[in-house]
RNA sequence: GCCGGGAUGGCGGAAUUGGUAUACGCAUACGACUCAAAAUCGUACGUCGAAAGGCUUGAGGGUUCGAGUCCCUCUCCCGGCACCA
């Protein structure tokens, strides 16, 4: 027997497999199902570490096993070759990033080959190859066509060290993911992709994916959907005297509910509202209507003129006739031509359709054009014409009924009056909103500051806003002390209570989330509570908690009904001692404070005093204060025999002296009065609410109550549950709204080594996409990769690249010089593997159809909210363009853990604990490294495993024992021979378990089963040739070289990897004789060996005999027999 | 703080989903082979106990004939998000 020489055989077989091209995957093979096994392709960092082995060599086990099972497996490889490190290395070492990248790739190819992995190298792709990025550019332009790409001045994360913009996902704890430098916020013109438009689908489609739950959950959290409401708070700006003149439309009347609703809303703010009656609304003419409008009132600089629909035309005609300007013109669903979407109108000929746009503009200091794209009559083109006429951008509105004809139209009202719109998930607490908070960047704040006279403390607010904007993410995170400034001179009106409430700017409200403004409910939100405490703002309870008795005599019963009532409880202190007045009931299990219901018209505090007097006889009780607010207490009333849901208030009182009148006979028969010291109360009281009352008594500071409960102090809504009130208040005061934490994806990078964004800036034509036939836009060669630090890409310095003819007008234009985020490259690479050489398409439909969607995608948890989310989005965008056939790219996801250094720390050069796989492969062989990593623990977990150098040796020992086991193989292959049967049963169990465990990604237990099998073989010291063949086939996916070598050693010419996966015989899975545990009273006492097919009775009988001595003198009350497992005798 | 996952020998980890807890491997000890060492092979290896027999799956309680597994309470560790209204 030759010695096991891993170096020789690994080299030999790797070359042989490559030469035979056995892993070059055909698009389809008759009789075989296609299986697409994808691993995240590596970044060409230059050197493979153990983590790479874990990523690539372990999934290879699956690839090989699935092939043996008859699947046509695609297991491709490529390189995510663009990106910052190449460029940083280029700057540091003065080498070309392309050369650096290519030489790294060359080196890594060799290392990857040394794994003995069955990659199909013929499909290799490089994202920095123009043949690849041509299609990255093309796909980007497809998204651009779908209006998913836009350019916007955005506050972005800027890394001053890498001198580039980072995506939100690339900022970890306020620091750059790549270099660790602190990230600053910067306003820059950036390319964005509207991933937010897909937020719902990205969450909802997770349902149908076979992914680990933690990954799905992280994506859901990251997208951060929350359902809530938008509520408008009207502003009252002191000194503003406005008159609103409202001109209704065609076939309308001044007294339509909607118009009256507008009137009420505006008058609430002290506005004067005029709604002229316009003559002949069903057959209107310009002359009559304009005259009526002009006669109805006077127009001056305090007038807001509103025209709905045709009213807008009338309004413009009115403006044409005025000789001095008004404050504002608002058109609602207005128009200036007759190109209606639906039908012609009868007023067509009675109006003059030419307008003096200039005069109208001169006569209105500001103009708002409100248009709803879902309008059934007014087309977008009509709105656009109006916008051009008045030289004013369109404000998009949402109507409740098309054309803003609902009974209420909040969007219109919002534009008629200054309003702050807030987003809240707790609409039920609206009555408790005692102030508003705006983010420092809120538009209204910005406008007010510009205006200068709106805020009385303009300077102070300006200073705060300035300072808040300068804070970095890190500073915001470190110092969470609430800060803010009140906006003096402005008040908002709580739409529910009508109360005037103050406004603040504070940086605890984020501009980027919701509407950038919140209603603050300090009683029921911790942040608002903290702020209110600091600024001494009122805290108003509007939700009462529900305390339910669940044990003891007053526990709520399911068999009786409910009674509701208002109640009070009195905590009365002794006149001299530190004791409280308590009541102990005689016939019932009740220990309480005096309490009872409030009588008709009675004051709550008086009721508390009265109850205490009546129940105890003490006369001189004075109530000193209320403790806390409302609580609902639910309990079973033992005397009235009914459940009670009582809305309680607690009062603190004092007894002046011991003067006492006789307690009524009824009362004294039921209970007696006892005095308890505070330290005895906890033990004495049985009420559910005692902890809360005792906390209140102790004067413990009460924070915000954020839980469920019942609404109080909210006229018209009292008694509703939180959930019911949310719904009802949203309907009454606002509208439903869903918001997301997810931000749009900023894809431009101001760096050299990436895909040029294929766009041209033309002074005349604006942004012009590069035509398809001019793709790819090649990355130009340059020696100057240094970014300028101000946000200009190095490409901007390459004049020959920048200067270009505009493809539309032919004039001189400039190329976009930013490059794309590398996550764009990797958002579609798996599609390219299906058709890697196609020059006409990014991947032909029929080629995609062979493989997509990916059957199993393996990778790390670090990509959960980055690559994995981006590529799902990208795929959906392509799906909507019908460029791909599925809405999700990956059916099943498996998650790889992390390999730590031998010291249990993350591997890093600074720790000096880096394990070099090349060295171990050299010393122990690739098969050992593969198998050790597979054996270290379950693969599909978010977990980390330390590399144990001794453990690796154990696997090497196993392979050497396998090698030596060839000695035991006899020529005979007759497995029915008695001497082989012991091994045969273990072998069949192994076939089952290795197969099952591998499918479930539990490679560690699959390998342990191979070890058990080998142990059995060594014990018998002989096995048949067929058994040996089967063993090698089971081993093949795990240790491909050893298995192949031994396979050939035992006389085969074919490859073991092309062999079919063994099949087990179910009959052989169980031993003929099984060991059955015998328990007495659940304790294992002995075991019996008995034929596997023995009957229940036989088993029980044998067991009883076995433990007869222990059963002596005992009564068996029950016998439990679990087939092939145990017998349990239960004695009395 | 919120959301997810977890805690089993000296270590990595098993446990047919409620049925012999500690499979398999590592480490360790002893023995065989050897002049010796390494390698290899064999034996032992949760814990208390001489043994019989107890006790053990982060802690405490519960359900069950039977709990690592199910339920409740708590502690700690890991991961994600984090002033997201």
């Amino acid at each position: 027997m030759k010695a096991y020489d891993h170096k020789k055989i690994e080299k030999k077989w790797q070359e042989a497999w490559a030469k035979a091209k056995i892993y070059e995957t055909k698009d389809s093979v008759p009789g075989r199902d296609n299986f697409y096994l994808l691993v995240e392709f590596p970044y060409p960092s230059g050197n493979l570490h153990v983590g790479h082995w874990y990523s690539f060599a372990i999934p290879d086990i699956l690839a090989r096993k699935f092939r043996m099972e008859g699947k046509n497996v695609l297991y491709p490889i490529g390189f995510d070759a663009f990106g910052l490190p190449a460029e940083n290395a280029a700057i540091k070492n003065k080498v070309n990033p392309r050369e650096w990248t290519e030489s790294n790739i060359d080196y890594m190819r060799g290392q990857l080959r040394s794994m003995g992995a069955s990659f199909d190298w013929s499909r290799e792709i490089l994202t920095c190859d123009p043949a690849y990025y041509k299609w990255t550019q093309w796909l980007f332009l497809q998204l651009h066509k779908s209006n998913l790409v836009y350019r916007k001045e955005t506050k972005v994360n800027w890394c001053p060290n890498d001198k580039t913009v980072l995506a939100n996902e690339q900022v970890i704890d306020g620091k750059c993911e790549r270099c660790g430098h602190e990230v600053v916020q910067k306003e820059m013109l950036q390319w964005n992709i509207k991933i937010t438009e897909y937020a719902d689908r990205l969450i909802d489609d997770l349902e149908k994916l076979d992914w680990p739950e933690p990954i799905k959950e992280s994506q859901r959290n990251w997208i951060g959907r929350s359902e809530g409401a938008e509520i408008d708070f009207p502003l009252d700006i002191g000194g503003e005297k406005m008159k609103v003149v409202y001109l209704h439309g065609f076939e309308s009347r001044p007294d339509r509910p909607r118009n009256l609703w507008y009137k009420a809303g505006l008058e609430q703010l002290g506005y004067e509202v005029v709604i002229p009656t316009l003559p002949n609304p069903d057959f209107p003419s310009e002359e009559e209507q304009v005259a009526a409008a002009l006669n109805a009132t006077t127009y001056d600089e305090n007038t807001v003129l509103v025209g709905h629909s045709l009213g807008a035309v009338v309004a413009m005609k009115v403006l044409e006739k005025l000789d001095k300007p008004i404050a504002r013109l608002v058109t609602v669903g207005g128009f200036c031509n007759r190109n209606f979407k639906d039908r012609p109108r009868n007023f067509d000929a009675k109006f003059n359709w030419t307008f003096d746009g200039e005069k109208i503009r001169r006569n209105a200091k500001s103009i708002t054009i409100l248009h709803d794209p879902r309008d059934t009559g007014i087309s977008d083109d009509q709105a656009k014409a109006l916008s051009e006429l008045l030289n004013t951008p369109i404000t998009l509105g949402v109507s409740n009924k098309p054309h803003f004809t609902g009974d209420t139209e909040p969007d219109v009202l919002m534009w008629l009056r200054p309003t702050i719109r807030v987003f809240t998930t707790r609409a039920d607490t609206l009555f408790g909103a005692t102030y508003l908070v705006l983010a420092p960047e809120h538009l209204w704040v910005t406008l007010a500051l510009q205006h200068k006279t709106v805020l009385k403390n303009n300077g102070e607010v300006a200073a705060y806003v300035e300072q808040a904007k300068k804070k970095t993410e890190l500073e915001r995170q470190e110092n969470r002390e609430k800060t803010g400034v009140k906006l003096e001179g402005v008040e908002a009106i709580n739409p529910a209570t009508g109360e005037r409430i103050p406004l603040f700017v504070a940086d605890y409200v984020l501009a980027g989330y919701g509407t950038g403004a919140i209603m603050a409910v300090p009683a029921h939100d911790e942040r608002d509570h903290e702020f209110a405490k600091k600024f001494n703002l009122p805290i108003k309870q509007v939700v009462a908690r529900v305390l339910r008795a669940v044990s003891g005599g007053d526990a709520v019963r399911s068999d009786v009904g409910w009674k509701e009532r208002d109640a009070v409880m009195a905590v009365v202190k002794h006149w001299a001692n530190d004791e409280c007045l308590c009541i102990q009931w005689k016939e019932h299990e009740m220990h309480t404070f005096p309490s009872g219901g409030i009588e008709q018209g009675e004051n709550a505090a008086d009721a508390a005093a009265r109850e205490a007097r009546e129940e105890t006889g003490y006369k001189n009780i004075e109530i000193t204060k209320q403790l806390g607010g409302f609580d609902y207490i639910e309990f079973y009333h033992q005397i009235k025999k009914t459940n009670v849901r009582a809305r309680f208030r607690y009062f603190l009182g004092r007894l002046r002296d011991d003067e006492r009148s006789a307690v009524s006979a009824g009362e004294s028969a039921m209970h007696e009065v006892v005095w308890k010291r505070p330290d005895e109360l906890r033990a004495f009281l049985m009420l559910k609410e005692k902890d809360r009352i005792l906390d209140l008594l102790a004067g413990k500071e009460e924070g915000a109550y954020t839980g469920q409960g019942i609404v109080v102090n909210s006229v018209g809504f009292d008694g509703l549950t939180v959930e019911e009130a949310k719904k009802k208040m949203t309907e009454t005061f606002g509208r439903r709204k869903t918001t997301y934490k997810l931000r749009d994806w900023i894809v431009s990078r101001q760096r050299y080594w990436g895909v040029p964004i294929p766009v041209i800036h033309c002074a005349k034509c604006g942004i012009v996409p590069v035509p398809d036939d001019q793709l790819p836009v090649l990355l130009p060669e340059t020696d100057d990769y240094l970014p300028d630090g101000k946000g200009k890409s190095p490409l901007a310095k390459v004049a020959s690249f920048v200067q270009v003819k505009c493809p539309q007008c032919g004039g001189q234009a400039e190329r976009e010089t930013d490059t794309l985020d590398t996550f764009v490259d990797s958002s579609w690479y798996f599609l390219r593997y299906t058709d890697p050489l196609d020059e006409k398409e990014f991947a032909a439909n029929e080629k995609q159809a062979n493989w997509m969607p990916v059957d199993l995608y393996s990778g790390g948890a670090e990509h959960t909210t980055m690559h994995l989310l981006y590529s799902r989005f990208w795929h959906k965008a392509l799906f909507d363009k019908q460029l791909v056939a599925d809405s999700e790219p990956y059916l099943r996801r498996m998650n790889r853990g992390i390999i730590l250094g031998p010291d249990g720390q993350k591997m890093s050069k600074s720790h000096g604990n880096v394990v070099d796989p090349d060295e171990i492969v050299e010393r122990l062989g690739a098969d050992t490294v593969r198998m050790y990593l597979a054996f270290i623990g379950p693969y599909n977990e978010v977990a980390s495993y330390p590399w144990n150098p001794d453990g690796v040796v154990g696997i090497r020992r196993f392979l050497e024992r396998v090698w030596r086991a060839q000695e035991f193989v006899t020529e005979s292959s007759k497995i029915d021979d008695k001497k082989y049967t012991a091994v045969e049963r273990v072998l069949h169990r192994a076939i089952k378990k290795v197969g099952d465990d591998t499918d479930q990604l539990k490679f560690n237990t699959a390998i342990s089963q191979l070890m058990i099998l080998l142990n059995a073989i060594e014990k018998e010291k002989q096995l048949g040739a067929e058994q040996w063949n089967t063993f090698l086939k089971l081993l093949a996916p795990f240790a491909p070289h050893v298995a192949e070598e031994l396979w050939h050693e035992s006389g085969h010419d074919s490859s073991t990897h092309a062999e079919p996966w063994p099949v087990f015989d179910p009959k052989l899975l169980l031993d003929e004789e099984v060991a059955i545990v015998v328990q007495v009273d659940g304790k294992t006492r002995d075991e019996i060996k008995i034929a596997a097919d023995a009957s229940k009775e036989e088993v029980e009988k044998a067991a009883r005999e076995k433990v007869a001595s222990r059963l002596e003198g005992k009564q068996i009350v029950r016998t439990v027999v679990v087939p092939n497992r145990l017998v349990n005798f239960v004695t009395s």
Side-chain angles (χ1 to χ4, degrees), chain A residues 190-488:
Chain A
Q190 293 294 321
W191 289 93
N192 285 254
I193 297 188
K194 288 184 198 162
I195 189 170
T196 50
E197 230 167 67
Y198 284 73
D200 273 324
R201 284 164 67 189
L202 286 169
I203 288 182
D204 296 341
D205 286 355
L206 285 172
E207 295 273 318
K208 58 185 185 194
L209 298 179
D210 179 13
W211 285 22
E213 196 49 44
I215 302 292
K216 292 189 187 181
E217 196 54 31
S218 295
Q219 289 209 348
R220 282 187 208 109
N221 286 343
W222 184 262
I223 295 167
R225 175 160 67 188
S226 56
E227 323 252 349
E230 278 185 349
I231 298 173
D232 293 337
F233 283 67
L235 291 186
D236 181 10
I237 302 168
E240 190 186 349
K241 263 205 177 286
M242 283 286 173
K243 176 167 73 181
V244 175
V245 181
Y246 179 91
L247 305 181
H248 66 73
F250 175 52
E251 293 177 337
S252 186
R253 305 287 187 277
D255 59 356
R256 287 283 148 86
R258 155 179 77 257
N259 299 338
L260 297 176
W261 184 76
Y262 290 149
K263 189 166 195 271
L266 292 165
E267 281 174 350
Q268 195 185 353
L269 287 165
Y271 291 5
E272 184 188 345
V273 181
V274 179
I275 308 185
T277 303
L278 300 178
N280 291 321
D282 300 332
F283 302 95
S285 76
E286 176 177 332
E287 202 182 331
E288 277 181 353
Q289 295 224 330
V290 172
L294 280 167
N295 289 336
T297 185
T298 54
Y299 295 81
D300 60 24
E301 72 275 9
N302 288 324
T303 306
V304 178
L305 181 56
V306 189
H308 176 220
S309 194
L310 183 64
V313 176
V314 179
M316 290 190 286
K317 295 294 178 187
V318 166
L319 285 176
E320 283 180 358
K321 291 204 154 59
L322 294 180
D323 46 16
K324 60 181 178 185
I326 63 163
R328 201 163 156 228
L329 168 69
V330 181
T331 72
V332 180
F335 50 90
C336 61
N337 65 37
R338 293 147 290 169
N339 307 328
F340 298 109
K341 252 187 198 168
D342 48 356
R343 57 189 164 90
R345 306 292 199 277
N346 64 20
F347 49 72
D348 202 344
K350 296 193 203 155
F351 279 77
N352 171 8
W353 295 99
T354 55
F355 295 87
D356 185 349
E358 209 164 304
K359 177 132 197 222
I360 299 168
R361 259 178 288 153
R362 250 200 332 267
N363 272 344
K365 283 190 207 157
S366 95
I367 298 175
T368 301
I369 298 170
L370 198 57
H371 169 68
D372 184 346
R374 279 151 293 195
D375 200 312
T376 47
I378 312 302
S379 67
D380 290 349
D381 285 343
Q382 279 177 294
K384 212 170 153 194
L386 189 60
S387 160
E388 275 161 22
L389 173 73
L390 301 178
N391 194 23
T392 302
I394 296 168
T395 301
L396 290 181
V398 182
S399 24
N400 273 344
K401 255 173 104 177
H403 196 48
F404 302 99
T405 54
D407 283 354
T408 66
E409 289 291 356
D411 246 39
V412 176
L413 196 53
M414 168 170 163
W415 288 103
L416 296 187
R417 63 189 184 183
T419 303
I420 299 298
R421 177 167 289 182
V422 305
F423 173 74
T424 179
T425 52
R426 291 298 304 272
D428 56 299
T429 61
L430 178 57
F431 282 79
T434 52
Y435 60 101
L436 296 188
V437 187
L438 311 190
E441 299 86 352
H442 193 279
L443 179 63
W444 195 87
V445 176
T446 311
L447 293 174
L449 286 174
Q450 281 167 8
H451 206 268
K452 292 210 165 67
T453 57
V454 175
L455 301 175
K456 288 185 184 142
N457 57 344
N458 203 71
E460 191 193 357
V461 174
Y464 179 79
V465 167
E466 202 46 48
Q467 174 224 320
K469 279 183 182 166
K470 259 193 280 178
K471 272 195 198 171
T472 63
E473 276 298 306
L474 214 60
E475 281 166 350
R476 279 201 182 206
Q477 273 172 32
E478 273 166 9
N479 185 6
R480 293 216 172 171
E481 179 80 10
K482 296 277 178 294
T483 60
V485 174
K486 188 174 174 191
L487 301 178
E488 303 284 358

Side-chain angles (χ1 to χ4, degrees), chain A residues 827-1115:
Chain A
S827 286
W828 71 281
Y829 75 109
F830 47 88
L831 289 165
R832 189 64 178 172
Y833 282 138
T834 68
D835 191 10
L837 303 173
D838 201 325
E839 290 177 7
K840 299 206 166 61
E841 289 178 80
F842 70 99
N845 278 341
E846 64 275 16
K847 296 278 190 177
Q848 289 185 41
N850 290 323
W851 301 106
M852 291 300 295
V854 171
D855 292 285
L856 179 56
Y857 192 18
S858 176
E862 69 275 18
H863 282 128
T864 303
T865 54
M866 295 198 265
H867 161 65
L868 223 45
L869 194 61
Y870 293 140
S871 56
R872 286 184 62 219
F873 152 72
W874 193 270
H875 210 73
K876 286 179 186 303
L878 300 189
F879 174 70
D880 289 350
K881 296 223 77 160
Q882 301 189 330
L883 291 169
V884 298
D886 313 286
S887 63
E888 285 286 340
Y890 324 116
L891 292 180
R892 188 175 174 207
R893 169 79 180 179
M894 86 173 161
N895 224 300
R896 147 183 59 73
I898 301 165
I899 304 298
L900 305 172
D903 55 355
Q905 301 280 74
K906 209 175 164 194
M907 275 192 213
S908 78
K909 281 186 190 134
S910 57
H911 277 116
N913 62 351
V914 177
V915 175
D916 174 16
D918 289 356
E919 182 269 326
I920 300 163
V921 171
E922 171 79 14
R923 191 157 46 84
L924 301 170
D927 283 339
T928 298
V929 176
R930 289 171 62 116
M931 253 186 125
Y932 172 65
L933 286 169
F935 187 61
I936 202 166
Y939 193 70
N940 192 20
E941 307 262 325
V942 186
S944 52
Y945 306 103
W947 176 274
N948 179 356
D950 293 323
V952 191
V953 175
I955 295 291
R956 167 75 192 199
R957 267 204 291 258
F958 168 76
L959 289 175
E960 279 174 10
R961 279 163 57 206
V962 170
W963 190 269
R964 269 180 264 127
Q966 349 174 25
E967 300 276 277
F968 304 138
V969 180
T970 62
E971 289 302 316
S972 161
S973 60
K974 274 184 279 172
I975 57 154
D976 50 350
D977 196 325
K978 197 82 185 149
K979 62 190 177 192
Y980 301 128
T981 52
V983 168
E984 189 67 5
R985 285 183 185 274
V986 184
L987 183 67
H988 278 259
R989 249 176 279 165
I991 297 171
K992 175 161 169 49
K993 188 151 171 66
V994 172
D996 290 352
D997 288 359
T998 304
D999 292 345
Q1000 290 170 49
L1001 315 175
K1002 286 154 76 176
F1003 308 114
N1004 53 336
T1005 49
I1007 290 173
S1008 84
Q1009 197 62 32
L1010 286 173
M1011 290 170 168
I1012 290 168
L1013 176 55
L1014 181 65
N1015 289 346
I1017 291 170
E1018 284 178 339
K1019 199 173 154 203
E1020 297 300 322
K1021 292 203 166 30
Q1022 56 186 340
L1023 78 166
E1026 261 324 300
Q1027 293 178 322
W1028 180 239
N1029 288 343
T1030 304
F1031 178 78
L1032 292 179
K1033 285 189 242 175
L1034 294 180
L1035 181 68
F1038 300 91
H1041 310 91
V1042 169
E1044 187 80 312
E1045 177 69 15
L1046 292 176
W1047 180 256
H1048 281 257
E1049 280 294 302
S1050 59
H1052 298 89
D1053 291 328
S1054 61
S1055 169
T1056 177
H1057 303 292
E1059 287 293 312
W1061 186 254
V1063 179
F1064 61 86
D1065 178 353
K1067 286 201 292 286
L1068 292 171
L1069 292 182
L1070 264 187
D1071 282 325
E1072 287 171 302
E1073 212 181 47
V1074 290
I1076 288 179
V1077 165
V1078 185
Q1079 296 182 332
V1080 177
D1081 292 329
K1083 292 207 158 129
T1084 305
R1085 291 303 177 190
D1086 215 323
E1087 73 174 38
I1088 53 169
K1089 294 232 175 194
I1090 197 159
D1093 54 2
S1095 73
K1096 239 178 161 171
E1097 290 71 28
E1098 287 173 296
V1099 170
E1100 192 182 328
K1101 185 162 170 281
R1104 193 189 298 264
E1105 281 162 16
K1106 193 83 179 182
V1107 292
S1109 60
R1110 287 182 183 277
L1111 292 172
E1112 233 167 82
K1114 284 183 176 168
Q1115 194 72 22

